[in-house]
Amino acid sequence: MTTLASIIVSIAEEMRTASERGTVANYIPPLARVDLNRFGMAVVGMDGETHTVGDAEIPFSVQSVSKVFSLSMALNAMGKELWGRVRQEPSGSAFNSIIQLENEHGIPRNPFINAGAIVIADILVSRYGRENAQTKLLEFLRPLVSDPSSIDIDTDVARQERETGFRNMALANYMRTFGNIRNVVEDTLDFYFHQCALTMSCHQLAQVGTYLMTGGRNPRTGEQVMSERNAQTILALMMMCGHYDGSGAFAIRVGLPGKSGVGGGILAIAPGVASIAVWSPGLNAQGNSLLGTRALERLVQHTGWSVFRANPWVANPT
Ligand code: GLU
């Protein structure tokens, strides 16, 4: 009988032997030296049942996957007024594109391109203050996982992001000229760089994602951590914008809301069914995990979890 456990084992085996693995992000040494052969996957179901495979317990730099969590906090803090400062549309551009910003008067297309995520970081710095924003972020994430203390921020990665983040500085300063960055640019960026430097394993990332699988509820505590409506909005944005200018292809191949990061992680959500995290550090041309995407594609082929499937969900194979 095919079980979810056997499916992910077969996926890991396929990925272990794949010859084409993409390219590791090389803009800072801590990312450049990650072993290209790493592969991990974790799936957490509605009943908490968890399946992990490969390097699922090894922490990695979640990078832009963190944009989902900062957006969740900013929506909680500001409500729909937030959409006056960042839009809800796919960008069709690279993650750090500047061109669109000029045409659109400093209002980024969506919260998942860098410009949009920097505005979200600015909103959190306004709300909580520079230092406290980081604490609040960890406080948001930790109750969602079984081993809370091990989720942390790699300050060395954050420092190197800052030392090399010239384009992000350009984006932030440019938006400041439109009044869409309200704090000292360095403070907003410092928080943004620390948020990108969050470190989690696939197992932890899949656990963190459970609040999006359940319509905003932390299944561990029963607490509603965000409204169901906001959780749906975030999933829609993940589907449309979660993979930069590779978002359309990801939606067609995988059919799940997902968010990638240049560390090679992807968080994907099958609403009401599962929270899935995958990690393979080699990236494709759009900066998304090459084998991570393929692994999710395989998972959905086996389980029928695509949100675009015409038939009702197939039973969760256990
Ligand atoms: N820290 C990276 C940046 O801001 C994140 C990019 C990503 O993960 O897509 O450039």
Side-chain angles (χ1 to χ4, degrees):
M1 194 181 77
T2 311
T3 63
L4 186 52
S6 70
I7 289 170
I8 68 168
V9 166
S10 73
I11 292 172
E13 182 55 21
E14 179 187 338
M15 300 313 145
R16 192 181 66 76
T17 51
S19 51
E20 197 200 336
R21 309 189 74 86
T23 317
V24 174
N26 60 5
Y27 66 95
I28 51 172
L31 295 184
R33 60 173 173 256
V34 176
D35 180 356
L36 187 59
N37 292 310
R38 292 283 185 207
F39 176 84
M41 192 168 194
V43 183
V44 180
M46 286 294 278
D47 54 4
E49 191 173 317
T50 302
H51 296 278
T52 59
V53 73
D55 298 317
E57 305 295 341
I58 295 188
F60 62 91
S61 190
V62 304
Q63 292 291 330
S64 285
V65 182
S66 68
K67 293 172 182 173
V68 173
F69 315 132
S70 56
L71 174 62
S72 300
M73 291 172 64
L75 263 178
N76 279 349
M78 194 173 171
K80 53 180 190 295
E81 276 175 46
L82 180 151
W83 304 118
R85 292 184 59 186
V86 55
R87 297 173 62 212
Q88 301 174 305
E89 301 300 332
S91 76
S93 302
F95 68 102
N96 54 9
S97 169
I98 296 184
I99 296 168
Q100 242 167 18
L101 266 184
E102 172 148 38
N103 295 332
E104 300 182 352
H105 311 290
I107 310 288
R109 271 289 169 102
N110 67 66
F112 293 153
I113 51 173
N114 281 14
I118 292 168
V119 168
I120 297 298
D122 190 63
I123 288 168
L124 292 175
V125 170
S126 294
R127 172 75 186 217
Y128 299 116
R130 162 65 197 94
E131 285 309 318
N132 212 17
Q134 209 165 303
T135 310
K136 290 283 178 191
L137 175 62
L138 290 171
E139 283 174 5
F140 180 80
L141 299 172
R142 285 180 171 156
L144 290 154
V145 302
S146 49
D147 57 343
S149 59
S150 64
I151 289 195
D152 221 333
I153 290 171
D154 185 330
T155 50
D156 189 43
V157 169
R159 181 183 54 77
Q160 298 197 39
E161 293 273 345
R162 188 173 53 232
E163 283 170 10
T164 57
F166 304 112
R167 189 175 274 254
N168 287 325
M169 286 170 211
L171 289 167
N173 279 297
Y174 193 55
M175 290 191 289
R176 173 109 204 198
T177 69
F178 291 97
N180 203 17
I181 295 294
R182 311 264 164 97
N183 295 283
V184 175
V185 168
E186 286 71 23
D187 284 351
T188 292
L189 282 174
D190 197 46
F191 172 60
Y192 172 75
F193 292 136
H194 278 79
Q195 149 198 337
C196 287
L198 264 170
T199 296
M200 282 183 229
S201 67
C202 282
H203 191 173
Q204 291 170 324
L205 188 55
Q207 288 183 329
V208 166
T210 53
Y211 75 97
L212 294 168
M213 156 185 88
T214 57
R217 191 172 45 82
N218 177 349
R220 199 169 289 280
T221 61
E223 190 201 344
Q224 197 72 29
V225 300
M226 72 184 313
S227 72
E228 191 171 355
R229 187 75 197 90
N230 283 346
Q232 284 178 24
T233 298
I234 290 178
L235 290 178
L237 286 165
M238 288 167 75
M239 182 67 91
M240 292 184 292
C241 321
H243 285 73
Y244 306 119
D245 52 340
S247 299
F250 184 88
I252 290 166
R253 285 178 64 187
V254 177
L256 293 176
K259 182 73 202 84
S260 72
V262 290
I266 303 176
L267 173 66
I269 306 294
V273 179
S275 170
I276 307 144
V278 62
W279 173 50
S280 171
L283 307 178
N284 64 18
Q286 287 81 32
N288 303 308
S289 175
L290 186 112
L291 293 184
T293 305
R294 190 178 304 160
L296 288 167
E297 185 178 20
R298 289 285 181 272
L299 181 71
V300 167
Q301 283 166 355
H302 285 292
T303 58
W305 285 350
S306 162
V307 301
F308 300 117
R309 218 179 128 99
N311 301 323
W313 298 114
V314 294
N316 180 357
T318 51

